[in-house]
Amino acid sequence: MAEEALGDLLAFLGRRAEWLSGALARAPPPPARERKVRELWRYCWYVLLSNRCIVDHPVLRKPFTMPSKYVFRHQWLWDSAFHAIVLSTYDVELAKEELLNLFHAQKPDGRIPHEIFLSKAMCRAFWSVDDYSPWTTQPPVLAVAVERILEKRFDEKFAKLAYESLAKYDRWFSERRDADRDGLAAYIDYLESGWDDSVRWDNARDRLELDPGKYRAAYPEARMAPVEAVDLNSLLYLQRLILSKLATRLGRGEESEEWRRFAEATAVKVRELMWDERSGFYYDVYEEDHSKVMVKTPAAFLTMFAGIAEQDQAERLVEHLYSDFWTTFPLPTVSRDDPKYNPRGYWRGRSWVNLIWFTYWGLVRYGFNSEARELAARVVELMAEGPTCSENYDSSTGEPIGVPDYSWSTLIIDIVADAARKYWV
Ligand code: GLC
């Protein structure tokens, strides 16, 4: 009996290995000569391609990539944007396909949901919502993924679909997440931020608990005092800029001009309200009074990723990179001098590869080439030990923690591709 089952299993494993080696053979060749880096590269492609799945589902109609086939078995919004960015270097059609369920799941009011559960029962259990998706969104990285895809190969049909959808999505932020109408949107739920348990939200959660009525008048579903987050608004700035470029490309000149002006106004507000000259850092602000949430996190580096920071501000941010965030595995989710820093805490000090990716491209954008090279080399060295592609890493030891084979950690592929070309030759 056991032998029979094992026989089937071995045949299955054989077929799987065959499929995977076929898929891997089509992956771009590793750009580096070093054996360990080549192994990491192949391992990451294995993770991303084998986490892709097809399900029979009314919303998940197209194949998509699970963040992890062991634990996170739904489609998530910002995860899929990261997956598409990496997939676009493999097969641009696959990258587009990764985003189609997200456009399809868009709600009539314009919101693109946070996650699409495999079953309504799961969604009810987690969120008490009778749908496949809760009432939240997630960090708007989608436009960045769309831009990457269209840069590889322009496709008018896809561009139109993305433009319509992102324009509606952006208006949803203005209507539903910007009660003070200052052009800066707020997170009203810690899970919406993607940074679930972050120290950034501790006081905001306490504020809501003390006086829920105060916040629920504008946001009935709020689970924390609304926070105009620096990463959220950096991404919205980019989304508005990308919408402007798309509108031009699609021959909608007037709309393009409107989006460009809106993007610029967003950047001005971020600089005006979120920069603290004394400490030389960007912070989140409370929507109610624009006072700063004085918690230093790598979310500030998204102002460099987006191109919002002034050059001298970027220089000061880079000083913080080394003083506050240069741990064994760099970029702990909160500064290591924060009393709440915990190198293994979930979003409270562990390191995540998506934040490394934003910061890497931010450094490149501002010409901090040796810093970008150093960041890439340090992270690649640690991930290549194994190799591992884990959900996150203990920032003080570099030990892989969280779930194994986590899809967005394959963003290291995008970093290696760039770093190898520029710095490792
Ligand atoms: C965790 C992360 C969240 C991510 C999700 C799926 O909940 O905190 O940001 O989207 O996992 O990977």
Side-chain angles (χ1 to χ4, degrees):
M1 183 76 179
E3 240 166 58
E4 227 171 79
L6 200 62
D8 283 352
L9 182 65
L10 290 177
F12 166 75
L13 288 176
R15 281 200 302 281
R16 192 176 71 163
E18 204 176 301
W19 177 84
L20 271 175
S21 60
L24 282 173
R26 287 195 301 277
R33 275 191 296 270
E34 214 192 314
R35 188 181 54 82
K36 277 183 129 187
V37 181
R38 296 169 75 89
E39 278 174 11
L40 173 65
W41 175 274
R42 278 178 68 78
Y43 184 67
C44 286
W45 277 116
Y46 152 74
V47 168
L48 193 65
L49 297 173
S50 65
N51 280 349
R52 228 170 140 65
C53 69
I54 303 174
V55 293
D56 183 11
H57 190 283
V59 187
L60 298 167
R61 294 182 186 177
K62 297 286 179 188
F64 70 97
T65 311
M66 291 176 174
S68 134
K69 58 182 165 291
Y70 305 115
V71 178
F72 298 111
R73 297 171 48 76
H74 316 294
Q75 184 165 14
W76 267 265
L77 174 55
W78 74 324
D79 295 71
S80 274
F82 293 129
H83 306 160
I85 288 165
V86 185
L87 284 172
S88 72
T89 68
Y90 174 83
D91 176 344
V92 81
E93 295 306 317
L94 225 56
K96 283 186 231 166
E97 195 176 56
E98 176 77 15
L99 305 181
L100 294 180
N101 293 331
L102 306 174
F103 295 134
H104 176 71
Q106 185 163 31
K107 298 293 178 189
D109 66 358
R111 180 173 58 89
I112 303 187
H114 177 150
E115 53 188 317
I116 308 164
F117 282 91
L118 288 186
S119 73
K120 284 191 176 179
M122 294 282 270
C123 190
R124 272 197 300 274
F126 279 98
W127 290 87
S128 312
V129 172
D130 185 31
D131 191 4
Y132 289 101
S133 299
W135 48 271
T136 36
T137 190
Q138 257 196 330
V141 186
L142 187 56
V144 175
V146 165
E147 185 174 53
R148 273 286 189 110
I149 287 171
L150 292 173
E151 269 168 8
K152 294 266 170 206
R153 199 183 315 133
F154 189 75
D155 163 351
E156 177 132 4
K157 193 163 159 238
F158 182 77
K160 273 191 184 146
L161 170 74
Y163 179 77
E164 297 294 346
S165 173
L166 289 171
K168 246 177 116 178
Y169 184 40
D170 202 275
R171 283 194 280 272
W172 175 83
F173 275 104
S174 299
E175 281 155 23
R176 304 297 295 274
R177 291 290 183 273
D178 184 12
D180 66 349
R181 296 273 179 248
D182 64 351
L184 298 179
Y187 284 133
I188 59 166
D189 187 300
Y190 39 95
L191 294 183
E192 187 161 76
S193 73
W195 290 50
D196 308 5
D197 300 344
S198 172
V199 178
R200 297 164 77 184
W201 322 127
D202 286 1
N203 288 342
R205 290 169 75 162
D206 290 346
R207 283 187 185 203
L208 182 111
E209 208 153 286
L210 283 174
D211 191 356
K214 179 170 170 194
Y215 305 104
R216 295 219 171 114
Y219 302 109
E221 290 135 333
R223 293 202 295 177
M224 64 183 199
V227 175
E228 293 175 348
V230 64
D231 45 354
L232 169 61
N233 287 288
S234 298
L235 290 168
L236 285 177
Y237 161 72
L238 276 180
Q239 177 165 290
R240 290 162 188 165
L241 211 57
I242 291 166
L243 277 164
S244 166
K245 289 189 246 170
L246 272 177
T248 305
R249 193 80 201 251
L250 296 171
R252 305 179 184 210
E254 231 170 82
E255 286 171 37
S256 168
E257 190 45 33
E258 275 169 33
W259 286 120
R260 199 195 52 74
R261 275 202 301 267
F262 193 13
E264 200 34 55
T266 311
V268 168
K269 279 278 175 195
V270 169
R271 286 193 287 264
E272 180 190 315
L273 296 174
M274 298 183 178
W275 175 253
D276 177 58
E277 184 56 32
R278 211 168 52 85
S279 59
F281 205 72
Y282 271 105
Y283 298 90
D284 304 323
V285 298
Y286 291 104
E287 185 178 61
E288 60 194 279
D289 56 7
H290 290 143
S291 61
K292 293 188 175 70
V293 181
M294 295 304 277
V295 176
K296 272 179 285 166
T297 78
F301 297 117
L302 270 85
T303 60
M304 292 174 65
F305 175 77
I308 290 180
E310 309 277 9
Q311 188 65 35
D312 55 336
Q313 293 177 340
E315 271 155 33
R316 296 191 67 188
L317 288 173
V318 171
E319 284 169 22
H320 286 278
L321 171 65
Y322 288 105
S323 57
D324 300 330
F325 300 104
W326 203 256
T327 43
T328 299
F329 198 113
L331 289 183
T333 24
V334 68
S335 164
R336 64 178 169 185
D337 70 356
D338 191 292
K340 291 179 177 168
Y341 164 65
N342 168 2
R344 295 177 84 83
Y346 200 66
W347 291 104
R348 300 176 78 84
R350 293 186 194 188
S351 300
W352 293 73
V353 179
N354 62 338
L355 301 183
I356 303 278
W357 182 81
F358 283 125
T359 306
Y360 174 84
W361 284 112
L363 291 168
V364 168
R365 180 175 196 138
Y366 283 77
F368 293 103
N369 286 304
S370 64
E371 290 80 358
R373 180 177 53 214
E374 212 180 343
L375 180 64
R378 168 85 74 120
V379 173
V380 166
E381 193 189 320
L382 289 163
M383 290 179 77
E385 262 170 43
T388 64
C389 184
S390 287
E391 183 188 3
N392 34 53
Y393 290 81
D394 178 319
S395 54
S396 69
T397 62
E399 185 195 336
I401 46 180
V403 306
D405 296 0
Y406 186 71
S407 300
W408 87 35
S409 296
T410 64
L411 283 166
I412 199 68
I413 288 176
D414 191 56
I415 296 177
V416 167
D418 188 66
R421 187 171 54 83
K422 286 196 207 136
Y423 309 131
W424 298 344
V425 280

